[in-house]
Amino acid sequence: SEGEVRLTDDKRRWEKWTIRSAEPQAPALEVATPTKEAVPSSIIVEVHTDIICDGCEASPIIGTRYNSLEVPNYDLCEHCFRATDRDVAVWARIQSEVHTACDPAGGD
């Protein structure tokens, strides 16, 4: 006989799957995945035009930008900023007036 799959919906945010093996001794496996309604089709992100990340050289910086308060003209994107431990007291979070929509899944 085949295993059983049962789907339940939890507040339209998570689909919970219970997978049961055809083997009677095997434990059931429970998996939760976000529903389509819970995953946004696009998100709004900041764009820091004419700014280059001094860590990875990305330009423009998309998303969060950090500016060093100790080193003149030294900026990092969020990925580079979080890549190592930093003293947040010597960094400023710079906000941009420019925003764009971005597909979180990376598609068009």
Side-chain angles (χ1 to χ4, degrees), residues 8-89:
T8 58
D9 185 40
D10 179 22
K11 298 181 182 176
R12 300 177 56 91
R13 295 190 50 85
W14 293 95
E15 294 177 336
K16 292 183 180 178
W17 299 81
T18 301
I19 303 171
R20 300 189 193 285
S21 173
E23 298 296 321
Q25 304 298 334
L29 174 64
E30 294 193 10
V31 179
T33 58
T35 63
K36 188 172 184 177
E37 293 82 13
V39 178
S41 59
S42 67
I43 55 175
I44 304 299
V45 294
E46 294 178 59
V47 179
H48 300 271
T49 58
D50 301 321
I51 303 294
I52 299 171
C53 174
D54 291 297
C56 66
E57 299 185 357
S59 181
I61 293 179
I62 306 294
T64 307
R65 171 185 162 208
Y66 295 92
N67 179 257
S68 173
L69 300 176
E70 295 182 319
V71 181
N73 193 30
Y74 192 83
D75 298 282
L76 294 176
C77 66
E78 184 166 12
H79 176 77
C80 290
F81 181 80
R82 296 191 184 283
T84 61
D85 290 334
R86 300 190 187 277
D87 180 0
V88 295

Side-chain angles (χ1 to χ4, degrees), residues 46-48 63-66 92-99:
E46 294 178 59
V47 179
H48 300 271
T64 307
R65 171 185 162 208
Y66 295 92
R93 160 69 165 93
I94 307 297
Q95 295 185 342
S96 176
E97 300 277 328
V98 180
H99 295 83

